[in-house]
Amino acid sequence: MEKITKILLSENEMPRQWYNIMADMPNKPLPPLNPATGKPVGPEDLSVIFPMELIKQEVSTERYIDIPDEVLDLYRTFRPSPLYRARNLEKALGTKSKIYYKYEGGNYSGSHKANTAIPQAYYNKMEGVRRITTETGAGQWGSAMSFACNHFGLDLLVFMVRVSYNQKPGRKLMMNTYNARVVPSPSTMTAAGRSVLEADPDSPGSLGIAISEAMEIAAQDPYTKYALGSVLNHVILHQTIIGQEAMIQMEMAGDYPDVVIGCFGGGSNFSGISFPFLRENFVNGKKTRLVAIEPASCPKLTKGKFTYDFGDQSGMTPLLPMYTLGHNFIPDKIHAGGLRYHGAGVLVSQLRKDGFVEAKAKFQRECFEAAILFARSEGILPAPESSYAIAGALDEARRADLEGVSKTILFNLSGHGHFDITAYEKYFEGNLPDHEATTEEINQSLVNSAVPTF
Ligand SMILES: *Cc1c(COP(=O)(O)O)cnc(C)c1O
């Protein structure tokens, strides 16, 4: 076999459809519930905040959904994304295993978020929406949405989690450059923000709070809709372009992954790379393991509870059946801002409950260490979020070596860390604390996050 390091696809080889795991799941997820009635939410309930086409995708059981031409046109500016064999990382580890990674940081937004920002902006535009509101944690989603909205002629208002707003001024300026307005959250613009500030004027914010603020504004105006960067089924659908490309590329490399790994915030990049491979498990008897890596400070998959909970802090979303730490949970201020979300998407939650998805929690220092080894071997500076996936891949390689076997490992490098350089500085200074959410804190949060029962 010829030595392969970088596997590129041509534009013509890019998949033209997204893959919907709902068609192949053995157990379909429970329905989202209207918190006022306890009945499953209908399309009308959601149409206040989302365009109809995305609502249809949210509940669709079609296996493949066509990607519109206008979306393909923008995808082509940065897709297909490259798949690399991490030969230098393998050498640095001295491992017998093969490590591959799909790099999603090479687009304008610097992360996989562009894959869903573009179709979300497109469908809103098609349905006459004029303005979009959204939240952003670390700023990658806000950046992705800013460019996509401006491209389709939509205004964008972004609520940026305050701790990230302070840590990452570069991301805010990038969003401004793409023509978006950015407000630190919690803010005084909304009732949700004001009530948090009343209780804690120094609140660092959370994704849950920022979502409440963005939804509150969208609900007040028929021409304003809301967009979410992770968690929801339609977001995960859009991200499956990653795994579908990776499957073709692995075949070109003459390999097939024993394990697929992604870092885990709400589940979109992990699901995006792994669900097409999970389909092969379901349909063609493959045995690939799927491993999600989450922060020990926000461990919904490993320490959370599977239950109905709100997707936001103030209870504006439907009740979602998911692994959660409670919608009032405020995670510690780790640098992987994109992983500071209290819940896991409904699809991954059901698949985890049914035993098809493994999960592991990690401390941020170990992940930065992995990111630095990766940067020094492969030359790409990873986003703090992505470093969790790298640490997960290193675990798999080391374990295989201890067992004396060689594995084929594939992980998603969800983004670059060019805006996160001060986090690296803190690591080098030895100023990066390890946080762990204790069982006690989580139980307390779940008590504080009670939801209506029926
Ligand atoms: C947002 C983000 C994540 C986490 O979100 P998921 O929906 O779980 O993928 C991970 N990596 C990067 C680079 C991000 O921007």
Side-chain angles (χ1 to χ4, degrees):
M1 181 98 218
E2 221 177 302
K3 188 162 159 174
I4 288 179
T5 302
K6 181 163 104 201
I7 301 123
L8 298 174
L9 296 180
S10 71
E11 284 178 34
N12 295 338
E13 292 167 299
M14 187 171 79
R16 305 291 171 91
Q17 294 177 313
W18 294 300
Y19 167 61
N20 184 6
I21 191 87
M22 196 90 105
D24 294 310
M25 289 169 77
N27 294 320
K28 307 299 174 216
L30 299 169
L33 302 180
N34 181 323
T37 63
K39 300 270 174 344
V41 292
E44 329 72 54
D45 297 311
L46 297 171
S47 66
V48 181
I49 50 165
F50 293 121
M52 210 30 94
E53 202 52 41
L54 291 175
I55 295 170
K56 279 194 210 150
Q57 292 181 359
E58 190 63 23
V59 297
S60 172
T61 53
E62 287 288 311
R63 183 166 289 114
Y64 289 100
I65 294 178
D66 288 340
I67 306 176
D69 286 342
E70 291 83 346
V71 173
L72 286 172
D73 282 345
L74 264 190
Y75 272 4
R76 280 194 195 94
T77 64
F78 59 89
R79 303 209 71 86
S81 71
L83 181 90
Y84 292 91
R85 170 94 184 265
R87 290 191 182 274
N88 291 315
L89 179 65
E90 289 171 16
K91 209 181 287 171
L93 284 171
T95 183
K96 285 215 272 295
S97 289
K98 292 185 259 187
I99 305 177
Y100 291 88
Y101 63 96
K102 180 84 165 150
Y103 183 43
E104 289 295 315
N107 65 65
Y108 71 85
S109 74
S111 81
H112 65 287
K113 300 283 190 341
N115 300 331
T116 184
I118 292 164
Q120 289 198 46
Y122 168 77
Y123 290 120
N124 274 287
K125 180 63 181 181
M126 286 300 106
E127 295 182 27
V129 172
R130 292 179 194 158
R131 181 173 69 153
I132 292 185
T133 61
T134 195
E135 76 294 329
T136 196
Q140 288 97 316
W141 168 239
S143 307
M145 228 18 218
S146 299
F147 174 81
C149 286
N150 193 61
H151 176 87
F152 289 112
L154 297 160
D155 289 337
L156 179 68
L157 172 62
V158 183
F159 289 91
M160 185 171 188
V161 176
R162 185 177 297 273
V163 54
S164 292
Y165 186 92
N166 294 334
Q167 277 171 353
K168 297 176 73 173
R171 276 284 173 192
K172 174 204 174 265
L173 289 168
M174 183 180 184
M175 290 183 255
N176 292 152
T177 306
Y178 287 145
N179 212 11
R181 181 172 171 208
V182 185
V183 175
S185 165
S187 78
T188 53
M189 266 178 84
T190 65
R194 286 190 296 270
S195 90
V196 173
L197 287 173
E198 245 164 59
D200 178 9
D202 298 322
S203 169
S206 70
L207 278 166
I209 296 168
I211 294 170
S212 297
E213 294 207 272
M215 284 181 73
E216 184 179 323
I217 300 281
Q220 292 161 0
D221 171 15
Y223 292 101
T224 301
K225 302 260 186 221
Y226 163 73
L228 185 61
S230 182
V231 182
L232 296 177
N233 302 355
H234 66 266
V235 178
I236 280 159
L237 174 78
H238 302 155
Q239 296 295 354
T240 58
I241 186 119
I242 304 173
Q244 292 187 89
E245 284 180 5
M247 189 157 310
I248 304 169
Q249 289 163 310
M250 290 299 294
E251 201 179 320
M252 287 166 71
D255 250 330
Y256 196 85
D258 296 306
V259 54
V260 179
I261 301 165
C263 65
F264 200 94
S268 73
N269 90 87
F270 168 76
S271 307
I273 193 163
S274 66
F275 281 3
F277 291 97
L278 185 56
R279 170 172 160 73
E280 294 299 306
N281 289 2
F282 286 150
V283 177
N284 291 321
K286 299 280 192 192
K287 299 228 155 38
T288 301
R289 291 168 50 227
L290 274 59
V291 183
I293 314 287
E294 62 184 5
S297 61
C298 196
K300 52 255 169 184
L301 288 173
T302 51
K303 283 189 178 169
K305 182 175 169 194
F306 184 88
T307 182
Y308 272 104
D309 193 13
F310 289 113
D312 69 318
Q313 192 264 345
S314 77
M316 297 195 64
T317 69
L319 290 168
L320 303 170
M322 61 180 182
Y323 282 95
T324 178
L325 300 167
H327 58 276
N328 282 317
F329 187 79
I330 299 200
D332 270 311
K333 303 179 217 173
I334 54 162
H335 281 273
L339 307 184
R340 292 177 72 242
Y341 183 66
H342 66 273
V346 166
L347 294 172
V348 178
S349 289
Q350 185 65 45
L351 290 164
R352 164 106 177 114
K353 189 160 172 280
D354 292 338
F356 299 115
V357 167
E358 299 171 35
K360 238 186 209 183
K362 286 197 172 289
F363 290 109
Q364 66 177 349
R365 274 211 295 270
E366 177 191 342
C367 297
F368 270 89
E369 205 172 287
I372 287 160
L373 178 67
F374 181 85
R376 288 177 184 172
S377 344
E378 296 295 315
I380 298 174
L381 187 77
E385 290 84 1
S386 315
S387 72
Y388 286 74
I390 301 172
L394 298 189
D395 277 358
E396 293 293 333
R398 285 172 179 143
R399 197 175 70 195
D401 288 330
L402 283 177
E403 291 169 359
V405 295
S406 162
K407 297 273 180 192
T408 300
I409 300 162
L410 168 64
F411 74 88
N412 198 26
L413 189 66
S414 53
H416 71 63
H418 298 179
F419 288 92
D420 301 277
I421 206 68
T422 54
Y424 282 87
E425 182 185 24
K426 291 222 169 71
Y427 173 82
F428 289 126
E429 291 169 351
N431 272 334
L432 212 54
D434 273 340
H435 295 289
E436 181 170 26
T438 63
T439 308
E440 211 167 55
E441 281 164 355
I442 293 165
N443 288 341
Q444 190 57 52
S445 164
L446 286 166
V447 169
N448 295 345
S449 304
V451 301
T453 50
F454 306 96

